Amino acid sequence: MKNEEWKEYKLGDVAFITKLAGFEFTKYIQYNNSGEIIALRALNIRNGFLDLGDVKHISQSVSDLLPRSKLFKGDIIFTYTGNGYGDCTIIDQNDKYHLAPNICKISVNQNIADPYFVFSVIRSSFFQKQVSNYVGGSSQPTIPMETIRKLTIRLPSLATQKEITKILSALDDKIELNNAINRNLEEQAQAIFKSWFVDFEPFGGKRPSDWEKTNIYNIANIIYGAPFSSKLFNTEKNGKPIYRIRDLKDQHSDVYTPENIEDAYLIQPKDIVVGMDGEFRPYLWGGEPGWLNQRVCVFENKRPKGKAFLYFTIKPLLDKVEKTQVATTVIHIGKKDFDKFEILLPSNDVLDKFDELTNPIIDQIVSKRLENKRLANLRNDLLPKLMSNLQ
């Protein structure tokens, strides 16, 4: 295999690439809660894996009307617009998923390429740099379909692709196992929060009389990102990483800045980070430290161990703003919205007991995320090394 020839292809030459057309979505797609098929949206692609925490369904009959947009095992789905552009994952089973807007499917010609190998290349840093070079759009970042088809990819023989795939998929299996553990841990903490502070189960099903309604600033400081100069952004690791809205989903940035701004905030593991444009979700930080860019904020818990209470308190508040915002382009959130956040504040002794139960869960979640970062870095470093060693 050493010294074998690697050939360069356009992505459109090794795969069929399509998306759900706007008129198809308007005419046919109707989300429902009882449909057999999951309609995958951009928010369901996270860090190279499927995130099915918030899904929409369509009926089998609707899916059958749009056969080009059905998804099958081995199909790669790719976000081509919005802050998460470039994120992708690979489908692991047939007849369960369908395209929704803002993502496209890449169906690999398996006589030429191994789907998992192509998926690994697409999410690699060197391919993502190619993607970033072609991003346009006046309101939100977008990559045209024709541009995606023209992106280049280098392939060895099919046999060599499959050998590389075995190595990379083993690392991904471990990452996905950690993701599954974290989903379970977060569900546990969410269930405890709901039991205590929504259903009041430990208190006989009634809200204790000494709990009071107050504003978010009683439990959190909100720290806003600084206006770093984009002219100084670089991919040569000059300075510290800087986190923009598009970097929050995978908690990783390939962009650095040497700039130091007075009072700028350096994100740390366990911080609660929120993007302020497009979608408003809290992220419990499990990435490496880096600068907080403008239009990104951190909810800093005032109580030293009150991370879980703050996280689960703001989650529905942010979701409510997102669902009620109306905009022709991209929705926004800001201080005026945060000022309206009203919360129910329990007594200190109740909060202390809740912290005692949930802090170990938060620590485990962040620990698994940091482990996944190490595994992902190993995988990402391994691919170019394998490619160079096998040429």
Side-chain angles (χ1 to χ4, degrees), residues 5 32 73 100 108 163 178 269 274 278 291 327 363 370:
E5 182 183 0
N32 59 68
K73 185 175 181 179
V108 174
E163 287 196 20
N178 283 343
V274 176
W291 292 121
D363 288 342
L370 290 171

Side-chain angles (χ1 to χ4, degrees), residues 64-196:
D64 289 342
L65 289 171
L66 303 166
R68 283 162 50 99
S69 300
K70 287 186 175 184
L71 294 168
F72 301 97
K73 185 175 181 179
D75 281 344
I76 300 159
I77 52 175
F78 180 90
T79 303
Y80 63 85
T81 189
N83 290 320
Y85 75 85
D87 205 352
C88 61
T89 190
I90 188 165
I91 300 300
D92 62 355
Q93 56 186 298
N94 292 324
D95 303 323
K96 184 175 181 178
Y97 305 112
H98 194 100
L99 284 178
N102 299 337
I103 63 175
C104 64
K105 79 167 179 176
I106 301 170
S107 298
V108 174
N109 179 347
Q110 298 189 33
N111 293 319
I112 302 173
D114 176 75
Y116 202 95
F117 182 85
V118 174
F119 162 59
S120 299
V121 172
I122 288 174
R123 66 174 171 174
S124 67
S125 59
F126 50 88
F127 189 90
Q128 289 293 318
K129 286 178 184 176
Q130 186 183 176
V131 170
S132 297
N133 289 336
Y134 293 101
V135 172
S138 56
S139 59
Q140 60 178 344
T142 300
I143 315 164
M145 287 293 104
E146 279 308 307
T147 300
I148 296 172
R149 294 184 180 101
K150 292 176 182 177
L151 296 173
T152 59
I153 183 171
R154 294 177 66 246
L155 301 175
S157 68
L158 193 54
T160 298
Q161 292 177 51
K162 291 182 181 297
E163 287 196 20
I164 294 175
T165 287
K166 287 178 185 178
I167 299 168
L168 299 178
S169 62
L171 291 170
D172 276 337
D173 288 345
K174 174 58 178 171
I175 292 172
E176 181 52 31
L177 176 61
N178 283 343
N179 286 338
I181 292 170
N182 271 0
R183 286 192 292 270
N184 180 263
L185 288 170
E186 185 163 334
E187 286 170 4
Q188 288 180 43
Q190 177 79 70
I192 297 170
F193 180 89
K194 182 176 183 296
S195 170
W196 284 41

